[in-house]
Amino acid sequence: MKIGCPKEIKPQEFRVGMTPNAAHEAISHGHEVLIETQAGAGSGFDDAAYASTGATIVDTATEVFASADMIVKVKEPQAGERKMLREGQLLFTYLHLAPDPVQTRDLLASGCTAIAYETVTDAAGGLPLLAPMSEVAGKLAPQVGAWTLQKANGGRGVLMGGVPGVGPAQVVVIGGGVVGTHAARVAAGMGAHVTVLDRSLPRMRYLDDVFGGVFRTSFASAGNTAELVALADLVVGAVLVPGAAAPKLVTRAQLSTMKPGAAIVDVAIDQGGCFETSHATTHQDPIYDVDGIMHYCVANMPGAVARTSTIALGNATMPFLLALADKGWKQACLDDPHLMAGLNVHAGELTYYAVGKALGIDVVSPNIMVKS
Ligand SMILES: NC(=O)c1ccc[n+]([C@@H]2O[C@H](COP(=O)([O-])OP(=O)(O)OC[C@H]3O[C@@H](n4cnc5c(N)ncnc54)[C@H](O)[C@@H]3O)[C@@H](O)[C@H]2O)c1
């Protein structure tokens, strides 16, 4: 198969769909790889790194789209890219179609087959191609929270780990999933006193079994949440209710109960945020003040560490990418129901029920499509 990887063109996107390692693996499986020049530059991979694997470097995205059988990207194709997709071409990338009727219409019109990273599943009921970005955002949260707490940034002037004779920061993480667990581990590693709030008892049992000596858990009732938030120097928002906007768990009125200069890092901002006062910010202008509480609400946190994020995403996508290239998408999906769960669009038909429901478009079962 001819696999093409264009340079990402969405503003502030520095990741790339294929690392040189991924190119090397695909080529060793007998495939041909086309990389747009400078595609990996934002993640620290120059053209020479790809060329040394045997990949062909081309000058424009047009050349990549024109000749590749499969396009591998990070972000959803932008309007200009969607015009270049064609019938029979395979697209493997994040799509997030449910809130995006324009993109959905264009993908349907193109006749391409689109497999969305975010809906590929795993045997444990997880989302293996979303998890790496949650791991990155979770580990970043205490890092940016510690920075926000610094006096020059409007924070309380509290050091995460304290020093001998001065106690550590109090950190509260709301939501103990992938983001929350990674945030709690790093905050505890920095020496902070950490409590994780969740509503899932099985999840808290797991956290207590594995991390009992590292951080504490507490049931996320409204009362417990209010009490712990009032005592916190740093609160990390990390809840997810699948398929729904994040619930607002901390109101504006509650900010007045918090310590002046305390910090909020609302990682769940990409689902609307779990603080009433959250609104999305950018890496250029990441923090703002509401009632003396500093908010950090960057919607694409992994972009801050594009190289780590690219490599982590590449590790997760590689087995699926190789299966698609080796077997063709139909056989690969027939062999792996978790990959089949990623099929969102094929030959002008929508094949993912939640997207169809959100957009009011009829859906054809992916099972029928792979056998057609
Ligand atoms: N801002 C970014 O750059 C970025 C990057 C990655 C992920 N995210 C977002 O971070 C959020 C968390 O992602 P995740 O991968 O950790 O999800 P996850 O499903 O692994 O974990 C979510 C956790 O929230 C808990 N939860 C649900 N409702 C709750 C409530 N009312 N109170 C307390 N806990 C509750 C669940 O029990 C679960 O343990 C998502 O919104 C995700 O989209 C943002």
Side-chain angles (χ1 to χ4, degrees):
M1 194 181 269
K2 217 183 236 189
I3 305 169
C5 177
K7 183 173 166 61
E8 293 295 320
I9 56 172
K10 192 165 180 173
Q12 296 301 316
E13 181 53 68
F14 299 107
R15 289 172 291 174
V16 61
M18 288 182 82
T19 59
N21 261 339
H24 182 257
E25 292 259 349
I27 289 164
S28 69
H29 279 232
H31 305 294
E32 205 178 314
V33 175
L34 294 179
I35 305 281
E36 182 181 349
T37 182
Q38 295 297 307
S43 294
F45 298 118
D46 61 14
D47 287 351
Y50 289 98
S52 69
T53 70
T56 306
I57 311 297
V58 298
D59 288 336
T60 62
T62 314
E63 289 163 81
V64 175
F65 278 85
S67 63
D69 304 306
M70 167 160 61
I71 300 289
V72 180
K73 276 176 53 58
V74 179
K75 297 307 284 187
E76 71 280 3
Q78 304 299 291
E81 294 174 318
R82 300 200 292 269
K83 286 200 186 92
M84 295 190 275
L85 287 167
R86 61 186 145 75
E87 198 175 338
Q89 199 166 38
L90 182 58
L91 172 66
F92 190 40
T93 191
Y94 288 119
L95 291 175
H96 298 287
L97 292 181
D100 196 345
V102 178
Q103 186 200 170
T104 305
R105 208 173 43 231
D106 286 355
L107 291 185
L108 291 171
S110 74
C112 79
T113 300
I115 296 185
Y117 290 166
E118 71 275 8
T119 66
V120 172
T121 54
D122 65 22
L127 300 169
L129 304 187
L130 268 189
M133 296 305 100
S134 287
E135 291 161 358
V136 169
K139 285 198 157 170
L140 262 178
Q143 195 170 310
V144 296
W147 176 79
T148 307
L149 276 173
Q150 290 175 25
K151 208 67 195 161
N153 299 316
R156 216 171 125 62
V158 167
L159 184 63
M160 290 286 271
V163 289
V166 183
Q170 302 292 318
V171 175
V172 172
V173 179
I174 312 179
V178 180
V179 168
T181 306
H182 283 76
R185 281 177 57 198
V186 169
M190 291 166 99
H193 178 278
V194 183
T195 305
V196 175
L197 287 156
D198 205 293
R199 293 186 81 88
S200 159
L201 287 174
R203 184 66 189 172
M204 284 192 287
R205 277 191 195 106
Y206 165 81
L207 292 176
D208 193 64
D209 277 351
V210 179
F211 301 107
V214 179
F215 54 78
R216 284 136 293 278
T217 58
S218 182
F219 187 73
S221 61
N224 275 346
T225 305
E227 206 170 294
L228 286 164
V229 164
L231 296 173
D233 297 293
L234 168 63
V235 185
V236 176
V239 300
L240 177 66
V241 179
K248 302 291 177 208
L249 301 175
V250 178
T251 63
R252 178 160 191 170
Q254 277 174 274
L255 297 190
S256 65
T257 69
M258 294 178 70
K259 300 173 183 170
I264 283 172
V265 176
D266 197 351
V267 185
I269 190 64
D270 62 340
Q271 301 294 331
C274 49
F275 301 82
E276 191 186 8
T277 43
S278 295
H279 64 74
T281 59
T282 62
H283 292 293
Q284 280 68 41
D285 194 8
I287 54 178
Y288 62 94
D289 178 343
V290 180
D291 300 341
I293 306 300
M294 301 310 297
H295 293 54
Y296 175 104
C297 302
V298 173
N300 64 332
M301 290 175 68
V305 287
R307 186 174 169 88
T308 300
S309 299
T310 286
I311 298 170
L313 180 62
N315 292 343
T317 56
M318 179 147 12
F320 298 105
L321 188 157
L322 291 176
L324 289 167
D326 290 350
K327 303 175 181 181
W329 74 270
K330 281 190 180 180
Q331 192 58 47
C333 287
L334 279 169
D335 289 353
D336 181 357
H338 297 296
L339 182 56
M340 175 114 79
L343 187 68
N344 276 229
V345 169
H346 173 61
E349 302 284 359
L350 198 61
T351 53
Y352 196 78
Y353 284 101
V355 174
K357 194 171 169 212
L359 298 178
I361 300 176
D362 288 342
V363 170
V364 177
S365 160
N367 287 297
I368 294 175
M369 286 304 187
V370 291
K371 287 173 190 149
S372 65

